[in-house]
Amino acid sequence: MMAPDDDGSNRNRTQQKYTGADDIRLPQTLKKHEEQTDSIGIHPIAAANSNRSTSNATTKTASNARDMVLMGLTLLLVLTAANVESKAPDHYYGREIGRINSFGHGVKGLVFAVDESTLFVKGFAYDGSAPDAFFWVGNSPRPSPEGYIIPYPEEYTGRDPPALGQHENSDIILKLPMGKRIRDIRWLSVWCRRFTVDFGEIFIPPGLDVPKPRVLPEFKRLAHGLRSSNISILDAKTFYIPNLHYDGAGPDAYFWVGNGSEPNIMGIKVPNEIGSLEPLRGYQGEDIEIQLPGNLTMYDIDWLAVWCVEYRHNFGHVYIPKDLDIPPALGQTKIATTTSTMPTIIAHGTTAKAKSVNCKELIRGKLNVMWDVVGEYVEIELVGRIRENQYMAFGISGHNGQPQMVGADVVVAFYDKNRREFRAEDYYLSALAQCDGKQGVCPDERIGGKNDVELINGDRSHGVTRIKYRRLLQTNEAVNDQAFPTNRHVSVIAAIGPLNSQSEANAHTHQEVTIDDIQINFASKNDHTCTDALDSIRDPEGPEVWPIRKIVGEKMIYAKIGPTGGKRGYTPITGHPSWGIAWYLNDLLIPEVYVERGQTYTFVVEGGNDSTQPAKYHPFYITDSPEGGYGQLNNLQRSRETVFAGVEFDKDNYPYPTAAGRYCEWKHRTVDRWEESKTFEDYMKTVHLECDDPTGQPAYLNWTVVDETPDMVYYQCYTHRNLGWVIRVVNPGETAKINGARGVFVVSCWPSLALLALAVCTSLLRISSRQHF
């Protein structure tokens, strides 16, 4: 597509409501079950102690019942969350001062104190006929020539501010000049300087209590070195976070806001200080400002957190008081001096994939589409591996039977960094050229139509952007919009391309567009031909990955916690997403361990033994699961996993971990330096070892490898998924044939998240190893 070249006036006018949940207070029985099943939950031994006298059958029945109740309650909460209205005060423009007393020229308006140096005039009117009239303030008893001008507009050209023009019901922001404060003035007037005439005035009450920024505590320090100085709320949409520290090692961490007594999954991503929705980088004592997205305000939320979406883990948070008296946000909420479009809101982001069974691959490895017909609408979700400065476009071809752009009706979807929101815009392609206002690749609104697309939600995680929208199957625009047929297949087109400086579609390359005739029947219910989830693809432009290490022939192995090594470490090695920490065995990041059948091995474990601190509680165990997290599973899930060491069962057949020692962690000296560390040895120079209790004791796990042990098992964390990796089990005497103990393994394998790919890769590795032996 060629880029349109308009004035940026095309805007999505669909307002999306806040979808965060209200305070969720579960019954105690459900809270216990939630703790047992939550992906970051504390080990649930304590919750079970009071019920140990019940029978196994009763326990299983109660557990199943609680499962059903919890699922129903969760569904109810999700459904009701969509109807949560904004809790911001209605018509909140600041502290009301009063109405302007009019003496002529139709002057009127309602005046508010926004903050210490800003006034807001709601519904200002003035006929504009006086030759030299200005907004005028001063400290004399009444308006007089001793005052001075408040320039409006604030930005102007020339030496002197322009005189006021005609206004009819305008909303106007007035910034006091020269460092003045509202407490320094007694009145505001519409004043004619040439004839020293007062057209209208309002007096400022002495001691007026104007809205002020609110100072909060610092972030609660829970994980990944997160800390800050006292956080400030500058206005209804802006946080100021001074002295922010965070190691940047969380795999999917974001600024996160929402409702409830604690941070939870029903939250909303907040763009970082540059408006990006990429996972957070490391911070080392920086002062930043972040702004709430869309129509969200401080009055809608209960907390601000740094939250890992992938693992549903809270790294730290601060609560938002209910008794806020803060300045309204200028030009971002209800106060604005120009007509603005209704903003959309970034939907709460989770790692759950779309439930639609319809999926078609549009551009291999880069863009998929999912769809569903709901009543008179078609709901479409685009899933693209695109950068933040790119768009993805999808629509009906200009000619059925071939991918033709001319005559096509498409939607251009992207994240607008300037407006800090996802957008989906209706385009019509009348020619392969920039839009000139009549022809070309044009937004419908620019050529006399309207944007018939309604944004539903958007999300960006792991370099993958997901944007869901809907459109009527048949609109009232016969020229610009094609109908979506539901009785036959229709040819579709798609493209990925760069955004220009106006956040509009620019020309794409020949490699990022549909070439073949792709056809879709939008009424289909089981048309799923996608071969990739996109987020499991390793970035071909990513950095060089560290070689896999191995431990061979060692009977004593020391296990500690450490960082994952970013895009050079855990995730590209295993193909699994990481939580930001992983096992270090003998000071190596997730090495492959070789053991022999018939031999006994001792693991000295220092992964934490305080179950009340889930971020520092990582009991060690050995399993056939490539993910781990046995303590999170229900009975059915546990029956599918085989545990070889590190877990025992009490008299009620309830599991508990046995290898939980003191907590020792390799921590970053500053921020995560994986990107600049070309080797793992370089990386280890950027971390240092800290143990919480110098006098504490490690746990010892003795494991005798029996003959029936499979060729490949895993060392994992009992309470969390994806912290460990592979143990390779060989026959007696075979470890002596393996060269390079603690060295670099000779075969690299890059499995995706799919178990099939993992199995194939493992088989190839096993064959190669046997040939090498």
Side-chain angles (χ1 to χ4, degrees):
M1 294 175 191
M2 297 300 294
D5 184 19
D6 64 7
D7 59 359
S9 62
N10 184 30
R11 296 292 184 262
N12 187 345
R13 302 185 180 276
T14 302
Q15 182 176 8
Q16 303 293 327
K17 293 181 179 178
Y18 171 50
T19 55
D22 280 335
D23 192 349
I24 301 173
R25 293 181 173 88
L26 299 179
Q28 290 299 314
T29 54
L30 292 180
K31 289 180 71 175
K32 287 182 180 179
H33 183 77
E34 185 183 52
E35 291 170 358
Q36 293 175 17
T37 57
D38 190 275
S39 65
I40 60 164
I42 301 171
H43 174 242
I45 293 178
N49 283 337
S50 61
N51 298 316
R52 296 247 174 116
S53 61
T54 60
S55 66
N56 291 343
T58 302
T59 301
K60 291 180 179 179
T61 301
S63 176
N64 293 335
R66 287 194 298 269
D67 284 343
M68 296 177 66
V69 173
L70 183 60
M71 289 175 63
L73 181 58
T74 302
L75 178 60
L76 178 62
L77 291 172
V78 171
L79 292 176
T80 56
N83 294 319
V84 175
E85 297 289 349
S86 171
K87 295 180 287 187
D90 290 338
H91 310 299
Y92 178 60
Y93 307 115
R95 183 76 67 240
E96 182 175 333
I97 299 175
R99 294 192 177 276
I100 298 174
N101 295 315
S102 178
F103 304 131
H105 290 278
V107 171
K108 66 178 182 178
L110 182 60
V111 181
F112 296 82
V114 175
D115 56 33
E116 292 183 332
S117 60
T118 309
L119 296 168
F120 175 64
V121 186
K122 177 68 176 175
F124 177 68
Y126 163 61
D127 64 14
S129 62
D132 199 29
F134 301 90
F135 287 111
W136 193 258
V137 294
N139 198 31
S140 57
R142 297 195 62 84
S144 70
E146 297 176 5
Y148 49 90
I149 296 173
I150 300 181
Y152 183 81
E154 185 179 3
E155 302 294 333
Y156 58 89
T157 59
R159 181 175 181 180
D160 297 321
L164 283 176
Q166 182 179 1
H167 288 271
E168 183 177 352
N169 199 34
S170 298
D171 293 341
I172 289 176
I173 295 172
L174 300 176
K175 298 288 289 184
L176 297 183
M178 299 176 289
K180 296 290 185 180
R181 299 290 183 264
I182 291 177
R183 64 174 179 264
D184 300 324
I185 64 175
R186 292 188 181 184
W187 43 261
L188 167 69
S189 169
V190 177
W191 179 268
C192 181
R193 183 174 56 177
R194 181 179 301 178
F195 296 102
T196 63
V197 177
D198 183 7
F199 297 154
E201 66 186 19
I202 185 171
F203 290 89
I204 312 299
L208 178 68
D209 185 17
V210 302
K212 298 179 179 64
R214 182 71 174 263
V215 179
L216 309 179
E218 63 179 54
F219 273 124
K220 188 173 183 180
R221 307 179 184 190
L222 297 180
H224 286 290
L226 180 68
R227 68 181 191 274
S228 68
S229 297
N230 288 354
I231 297 170
S232 293
I233 298 176
L234 300 184
D235 59 40
K237 292 185 71 70
T238 309
F239 286 102
Y240 172 65
I241 308 174
N243 194 31
L244 176 61
H245 288 80
Y246 163 61
D247 65 16
D252 196 26
Y254 306 87
F255 294 117
W256 190 256
V257 295
N259 296 120
S261 58
E262 296 286 343
N264 54 69
I265 62 172
M266 297 298 292
I268 292 175
K269 290 179 183 178
V270 178
N272 65 15
E273 71 279 7
I274 61 172
S276 171
L277 278 176
E278 287 293 313
L280 292 179
R281 63 178 176 86
Y283 295 89
Q284 191 175 356
E286 297 178 41
D287 299 343
I288 68 169
E289 288 185 13
I290 59 174
Q291 292 182 352
L292 297 177
N295 60 349
L296 199 62
T297 71
M298 299 294 172
Y299 297 96
D300 301 319
I301 62 176
D302 293 327
W303 38 260
L304 166 70
V306 174
W307 175 270
C308 181
V309 173
E310 185 77 36
Y311 286 91
R312 302 182 178 184
H313 188 66
N314 177 23
F315 296 165
H317 62 276
V318 64
Y319 290 108
I320 313 300
K322 296 299 183 185
D323 58 339
L324 293 174
D325 186 17
I326 53 177
L330 301 179
Q332 297 161 343
T333 54
K334 296 182 179 181
I335 292 188
T337 58
T338 58
T339 302
S340 61
T341 60
M342 290 300 206
T344 57
I345 195 166
I346 297 173
H348 61 274
T350 70
T351 57
K353 302 300 183 287
K355 299 298 189 294
S356 173
V357 296
N358 296 317
C359 184
K360 186 80 71 173
E361 189 175 63
L362 300 173
I363 303 176
R364 184 170 179 81
K366 292 186 177 182
L367 182 61
N368 294 344
V369 62
M370 291 176 281
W371 71 91
D372 191 21
V373 173
V374 181
E376 298 178 351
Y377 290 85
V378 57
E379 294 186 353
I380 294 173
E381 182 171 10
L382 298 180
V383 184
R385 178 166 286 278
I386 62 174
R387 297 185 296 274
E388 278 197 342
N389 62 347
Q390 289 185 309
Y391 66 84
M392 45 190 175
F394 169 77
I396 298 178
S397 172
H399 186 279
N400 202 36
Q402 64 186 57
Q404 179 174 303
M405 290 188 179
V406 175
D409 173 22
V410 304
V411 171
V412 174
F414 58 95
Y415 179 70
D416 189 332
K417 293 195 293 184
N418 296 324
R419 290 165 52 173
R420 301 190 177 197
E421 63 189 23
F422 290 98
R423 291 170 59 184
E425 304 291 340
D426 204 351
Y427 275 64
Y428 178 67
L429 282 58
S430 60
L432 298 181
Q434 292 185 3
C435 183
D436 60 7
K438 296 180 181 180
Q439 299 287 325
V441 179
C442 296
D444 284 8
E445 288 184 337
R446 192 170 177 198
I447 53 177
K450 66 176 183 177
N451 185 16
D452 292 293
V453 178
E454 298 179 26
L455 180 71
I456 297 176
N457 57 45
D459 181 62
R460 182 170 172 82
S461 179
H462 297 301
V464 175
T465 298
R466 312 174 70 92
I467 297 179
K468 188 173 184 179
Y469 60 90
R470 73 173 190 167
R471 204 209 77 171
L472 285 168
L473 292 169
Q474 175 71 60
T475 71
N476 293 323
E477 295 187 48
V479 176
N480 299 335
D481 292 337
Q482 295 193 43
F484 281 75
T486 56
N487 59 350
R488 60 181 175 86
H489 283 77
V490 62
S491 299
V492 297
I493 62 170
I496 292 174
L499 292 164
N500 63 21
S501 60
Q502 300 298 319
S503 295
E504 298 164 352
N506 219 334
H508 57 73
T509 66
H510 295 292
Q511 290 78 28
E512 295 184 320
V513 65
T514 47
I515 299 175
D516 300 323
D517 179 26
I518 300 174
Q519 296 196 351
I520 290 177
N521 183 344
F522 286 94
S524 57
K525 294 297 182 183
N526 194 25
D527 185 5
H528 194 303
T529 58
C530 291
T531 58
D532 261 313
L534 296 184
D535 50 3
S536 64
I537 298 176
R538 181 169 172 257
D539 185 359
E541 299 179 359
E544 183 178 353
V545 179
W546 297 322
I548 299 173
R549 305 288 168 154
K550 64 183 179 180
I551 295 177
V552 183
E554 298 191 22
K555 297 294 186 66
M556 185 79 73
I557 299 173
Y558 296 84
K560 299 177 177 65
I561 297 296
T564 56
K567 294 182 181 180
R568 297 185 187 274
Y570 184 93
T571 295
I573 290 174
T574 66
H576 295 285
S578 76
W579 184 36
I581 57 174
W583 283 115
Y584 277 58
L585 303 189
N586 290 355
D587 301 340
L588 298 174
L589 171 61
I590 56 162
E592 293 186 351
V593 180
Y594 280 73
V595 299
E596 291 185 358
R597 295 179 173 89
Q599 299 294 319
T600 299
Y601 298 84
T602 299
F603 294 86
V604 184
V605 181
E606 295 175 314
N609 55 12
D610 185 355
S611 63
T612 65
Q613 299 188 55
K616 295 184 176 182
Y617 183 56
H618 311 293
F620 188 94
Y621 81 115
I622 298 171
T623 172
D624 66 351
S625 168
E627 292 186 342
Y630 192 77
Q632 302 177 26
L633 307 181
N634 58 35
N635 291 334
L636 177 61
Q637 292 169 326
R638 287 171 182 159
S639 68
R640 298 169 180 165
E641 181 175 336
T642 301
V643 174
F644 301 96
V647 178
E648 295 185 3
F649 294 82
D650 63 15
K651 63 180 182 180
D652 295 320
N653 202 35
Y654 195 88
Y656 61 92
T658 62
R662 70 169 184 170
Y663 187 73
C664 291
E665 179 182 357
W666 290 101
K667 290 188 175 182
H668 301 291
R669 297 184 185 276
T670 54
V671 298
D672 196 337
R673 302 292 187 185
W674 66 264
E675 194 166 7
E676 59 201 67
S677 300
K678 297 298 179 60
T679 67
F680 177 71
E681 289 73 20
D682 292 337
Y683 189 64
M684 287 299 290
K685 296 175 184 177
T686 71
V687 298
H688 67 286
L689 185 65
E690 290 186 10
C691 295
D692 283 0
D693 184 1
T695 62
Q697 297 298 314
Y700 294 87
L701 175 63
N702 295 312
W703 177 39
T704 299
V705 187
V706 298
D707 291 343
E708 295 78 15
T709 306
D711 290 348
M712 186 169 68
V713 296
Y714 302 86
Y715 56 92
Q716 297 289 6
C717 169
Y718 180 87
T719 55
H720 302 89
R721 295 185 178 93
N722 299 328
L723 264 70
W725 196 224
V726 171
I727 298 177
R728 300 197 178 276
V729 181
V730 299
N731 292 325
E734 289 189 355
T735 56
K737 303 175 184 178
I738 302 172
N739 296 323
R742 294 179 59 93
V744 179
F745 192 56
V746 295
V747 177
S748 293
C749 177
W750 303 108
S752 70
L753 292 177
L755 293 178
L756 179 61
L758 178 63
V760 171
C761 188
T762 302
S763 299
L764 293 174
L765 180 62
R766 190 178 302 159
I767 294 171
S768 176
S769 299
R770 288 173 179 170
Q771 292 174 346
H772 180 71
F773 298 150

